[in-house]
Short mmCIF file of all heavy atoms in Angstrom, two decimals:
data_model
loop_
_atom_site.label_atom_id
_atom_site.label_comp_id
_atom_site.label_asym_id
_atom_site.label_seq_id
_atom_site.Cartn_x
_atom_site.Cartn_y
_atom_site.Cartn_z
N THR A 251 -46.78 40.54 46.06
CA THR A 251 -48.06 40.10 45.54
C THR A 251 -48.45 38.79 46.20
O THR A 251 -47.58 37.97 46.53
CB THR A 251 -48.03 39.92 44.01
OG1 THR A 251 -49.30 39.40 43.57
CG2 THR A 251 -46.96 38.93 43.58
N ASP A 252 -49.73 38.59 46.40
CA ASP A 252 -50.21 37.36 47.03
C ASP A 252 -50.92 36.45 46.03
O ASP A 252 -51.53 35.45 46.41
CB ASP A 252 -51.16 37.69 48.19
CG ASP A 252 -50.43 38.40 49.31
OD1 ASP A 252 -49.31 37.97 49.64
OD2 ASP A 252 -50.97 39.39 49.86
N GLY A 253 -50.86 36.80 44.76
CA GLY A 253 -51.47 35.97 43.73
C GLY A 253 -50.49 34.97 43.14
O GLY A 253 -49.29 34.97 43.47
N MET A 254 -50.98 34.12 42.27
CA MET A 254 -50.15 33.14 41.58
C MET A 254 -50.67 32.99 40.16
O MET A 254 -51.88 32.85 39.94
CB MET A 254 -50.16 31.79 42.30
CG MET A 254 -49.39 30.68 41.57
SD MET A 254 -49.07 29.23 42.60
CE MET A 254 -50.73 28.77 43.12
N ASP A 255 -49.76 33.02 39.19
CA ASP A 255 -50.09 32.85 37.78
C ASP A 255 -49.61 31.49 37.30
O ASP A 255 -48.47 31.09 37.59
CB ASP A 255 -49.43 33.94 36.93
CG ASP A 255 -49.92 35.33 37.28
OD1 ASP A 255 -51.09 35.46 37.68
OD2 ASP A 255 -49.13 36.29 37.16
N LEU A 256 -50.45 30.80 36.54
CA LEU A 256 -50.11 29.50 35.99
C LEU A 256 -50.10 29.57 34.46
O LEU A 256 -50.98 30.20 33.87
CB LEU A 256 -51.11 28.43 36.44
CG LEU A 256 -51.33 28.28 37.95
CD1 LEU A 256 -52.32 27.15 38.23
CD2 LEU A 256 -50.02 28.04 38.70
N PHE A 257 -49.11 28.90 33.85
CA PHE A 257 -48.97 28.90 32.40
C PHE A 257 -48.79 27.46 31.91
O PHE A 257 -48.19 26.63 32.61
CB PHE A 257 -47.74 29.70 31.97
CG PHE A 257 -47.72 31.13 32.44
CD1 PHE A 257 -47.17 31.47 33.67
CD2 PHE A 257 -48.25 32.14 31.65
CE1 PHE A 257 -47.14 32.78 34.11
CE2 PHE A 257 -48.24 33.46 32.09
CZ PHE A 257 -47.68 33.78 33.31
N VAL A 258 -49.29 27.19 30.71
CA VAL A 258 -49.07 25.90 30.05
C VAL A 258 -48.49 26.19 28.68
O VAL A 258 -49.14 26.76 27.80
CB VAL A 258 -50.38 25.10 29.90
CG1 VAL A 258 -50.10 23.78 29.18
CG2 VAL A 258 -51.01 24.84 31.27
N SER A 259 -47.21 25.82 28.50
CA SER A 259 -46.52 26.02 27.23
C SER A 259 -46.41 24.68 26.51
O SER A 259 -45.84 23.73 27.05
CB SER A 259 -45.13 26.61 27.48
OG SER A 259 -44.39 26.67 26.28
N ILE A 260 -46.95 24.61 25.30
CA ILE A 260 -47.02 23.33 24.56
C ILE A 260 -46.29 23.47 23.22
O ILE A 260 -46.53 24.42 22.48
CB ILE A 260 -48.49 22.92 24.30
CG1 ILE A 260 -49.24 22.76 25.62
CG2 ILE A 260 -48.55 21.62 23.50
CD1 ILE A 260 -50.73 22.52 25.45
N ALA A 261 -45.41 22.51 22.94
CA ALA A 261 -44.79 22.40 21.62
C ALA A 261 -45.52 21.27 20.88
O ALA A 261 -45.29 20.10 21.16
CB ALA A 261 -43.31 22.10 21.74
N GLU A 262 -46.42 21.63 19.99
CA GLU A 262 -47.28 20.64 19.34
C GLU A 262 -46.49 19.64 18.50
O GLU A 262 -46.92 18.50 18.30
CB GLU A 262 -48.31 21.35 18.46
CG GLU A 262 -49.26 22.28 19.21
CD GLU A 262 -50.28 21.53 20.07
OE1 GLU A 262 -50.28 20.29 20.04
OE2 GLU A 262 -51.04 22.21 20.78
N ASP A 263 -45.32 20.05 18.00
CA ASP A 263 -44.60 19.20 17.06
C ASP A 263 -43.84 18.06 17.72
O ASP A 263 -43.61 17.01 17.10
CB ASP A 263 -43.63 20.03 16.21
CG ASP A 263 -42.64 20.80 17.07
OD1 ASP A 263 -42.94 21.02 18.25
OD2 ASP A 263 -41.56 21.16 16.55
N ASN A 264 -43.43 18.21 18.99
CA ASN A 264 -42.63 17.15 19.62
C ASN A 264 -43.16 16.68 20.96
O ASN A 264 -42.49 15.90 21.66
CB ASN A 264 -41.18 17.62 19.76
CG ASN A 264 -41.04 18.84 20.65
OD1 ASN A 264 -41.99 19.24 21.33
ND2 ASN A 264 -39.86 19.44 20.65
N GLY A 265 -44.33 17.12 21.36
CA GLY A 265 -44.94 16.64 22.60
C GLY A 265 -44.34 17.20 23.87
O GLY A 265 -44.61 16.70 24.96
N HIS A 266 -43.51 18.23 23.75
CA HIS A 266 -42.93 18.83 24.94
C HIS A 266 -43.90 19.84 25.57
O HIS A 266 -44.53 20.62 24.86
CB HIS A 266 -41.62 19.53 24.60
CG HIS A 266 -40.52 18.59 24.26
ND1 HIS A 266 -39.24 19.01 23.94
CD2 HIS A 266 -40.49 17.23 24.18
CE1 HIS A 266 -38.48 17.96 23.68
NE2 HIS A 266 -39.21 16.87 23.82
N VAL A 267 -43.99 19.79 26.89
CA VAL A 267 -44.87 20.69 27.64
C VAL A 267 -44.08 21.25 28.82
O VAL A 267 -43.31 20.53 29.46
CB VAL A 267 -46.13 19.97 28.16
CG1 VAL A 267 -46.98 20.90 29.01
CG2 VAL A 267 -46.94 19.39 27.01
N ARG A 268 -44.28 22.53 29.10
CA ARG A 268 -43.74 23.13 30.32
C ARG A 268 -44.90 23.72 31.12
O ARG A 268 -45.63 24.58 30.62
CB ARG A 268 -42.70 24.20 30.00
CG ARG A 268 -41.41 23.64 29.42
CD ARG A 268 -40.47 24.73 28.97
NE ARG A 268 -39.99 25.55 30.08
CZ ARG A 268 -39.19 26.61 29.94
NH1 ARG A 268 -38.81 26.98 28.72
NH2 ARG A 268 -38.79 27.29 30.99
N LEU A 269 -45.07 23.22 32.34
CA LEU A 269 -46.04 23.76 33.27
C LEU A 269 -45.30 24.74 34.17
O LEU A 269 -44.31 24.38 34.82
CB LEU A 269 -46.66 22.65 34.12
CG LEU A 269 -47.26 21.47 33.36
CD1 LEU A 269 -47.69 20.38 34.34
CD2 LEU A 269 -48.43 21.91 32.51
N ILE A 270 -45.76 25.98 34.22
CA ILE A 270 -45.00 27.03 34.91
C ILE A 270 -45.91 27.79 35.87
O ILE A 270 -47.02 28.18 35.51
CB ILE A 270 -44.38 28.01 33.89
CG1 ILE A 270 -43.46 27.25 32.92
CG2 ILE A 270 -43.59 29.11 34.61
CD1 ILE A 270 -42.95 28.09 31.77
N ALA A 271 -45.40 27.98 37.08
CA ALA A 271 -46.09 28.81 38.07
C ALA A 271 -45.19 29.98 38.43
O ALA A 271 -43.99 29.81 38.65
CB ALA A 271 -46.42 28.00 39.32
N ARG A 272 -45.79 31.17 38.50
CA ARG A 272 -45.07 32.36 38.95
C ARG A 272 -45.78 32.90 40.18
O ARG A 272 -46.99 33.15 40.15
CB ARG A 272 -45.04 33.42 37.84
CG ARG A 272 -44.34 34.72 38.26
CD ARG A 272 -44.30 35.71 37.11
NE ARG A 272 -45.66 36.03 36.64
CZ ARG A 272 -45.92 36.60 35.46
NH1 ARG A 272 -44.95 36.87 34.62
NH2 ARG A 272 -47.17 36.87 35.13
N LEU A 273 -45.04 33.07 41.25
CA LEU A 273 -45.63 33.55 42.50
C LEU A 273 -44.57 34.30 43.29
O LEU A 273 -43.39 34.33 42.93
CB LEU A 273 -46.21 32.40 43.32
CG LEU A 273 -45.24 31.32 43.81
CD1 LEU A 273 -45.78 30.69 45.11
CD2 LEU A 273 -45.05 30.21 42.77
N ASP A 274 -44.99 34.88 44.37
CA ASP A 274 -44.11 35.56 45.31
C ASP A 274 -43.85 34.58 46.45
O ASP A 274 -44.77 34.16 47.15
CB ASP A 274 -44.79 36.83 45.82
CG ASP A 274 -43.91 37.67 46.75
OD1 ASP A 274 -42.91 37.15 47.26
OD2 ASP A 274 -44.26 38.85 46.97
N ASN A 275 -42.58 34.23 46.66
CA ASN A 275 -42.27 33.27 47.72
C ASN A 275 -42.67 33.79 49.11
O ASN A 275 -42.89 33.00 50.03
CB ASN A 275 -40.78 32.92 47.72
CG ASN A 275 -39.88 34.13 47.89
OD1 ASN A 275 -39.76 34.95 46.98
ND2 ASN A 275 -39.26 34.24 49.05
N LEU A 276 -42.77 35.11 49.27
CA LEU A 276 -43.23 35.68 50.54
C LEU A 276 -44.73 35.95 50.54
O LEU A 276 -45.29 36.33 51.57
CB LEU A 276 -42.48 36.99 50.83
CG LEU A 276 -40.98 36.86 51.08
CD1 LEU A 276 -40.36 38.23 51.32
CD2 LEU A 276 -40.70 35.94 52.26
N GLY A 277 -45.38 35.79 49.38
CA GLY A 277 -46.82 36.05 49.26
C GLY A 277 -47.60 34.75 49.36
O GLY A 277 -47.77 34.19 50.44
N LYS A 278 -48.09 34.27 48.21
CA LYS A 278 -48.80 32.99 48.20
C LYS A 278 -47.91 31.86 48.70
O LYS A 278 -48.39 30.83 49.17
CB LYS A 278 -49.30 32.70 46.77
CG LYS A 278 -50.08 31.39 46.61
CD LYS A 278 -51.33 31.33 47.44
CE LYS A 278 -52.18 30.10 47.06
NZ LYS A 278 -53.26 29.83 48.04
N GLY A 279 -46.59 32.09 48.63
CA GLY A 279 -45.65 31.09 49.13
C GLY A 279 -45.40 31.13 50.61
O GLY A 279 -44.69 30.27 51.14
N ALA A 280 -45.97 32.10 51.33
CA ALA A 280 -45.71 32.18 52.78
C ALA A 280 -46.76 33.05 53.47
O ALA A 280 -47.83 32.58 53.85
CB ALA A 280 -44.30 32.70 53.05
#
C-alpha cells in the first residue's frame, strides 16, 4: 500500500497521548 494512516490516542484522565502512524515501509516509506 502507498497510503499512510494517522491516529491520535488520548487518555483524558492522565494526559497521556500516543501519536501513531501506520504505513508500508516500501510504499509511502520508499
Side-chain angles (χ1 to χ4, degrees):
T251 177
D252 295 317
M254 176 166 56
D255 297 328
L256 306 182
F257 303 89
V258 179
S259 173
I260 301 173
E262 298 288 357
D263 57 338
N264 61 11
H266 289 181
V267 176
R268 291 173 65 183
L269 307 173
I270 302 172
R272 178 178 59 197
L273 63 152
D274 184 343
N275 58 288
L276 295 178
K278 180 61 171 167

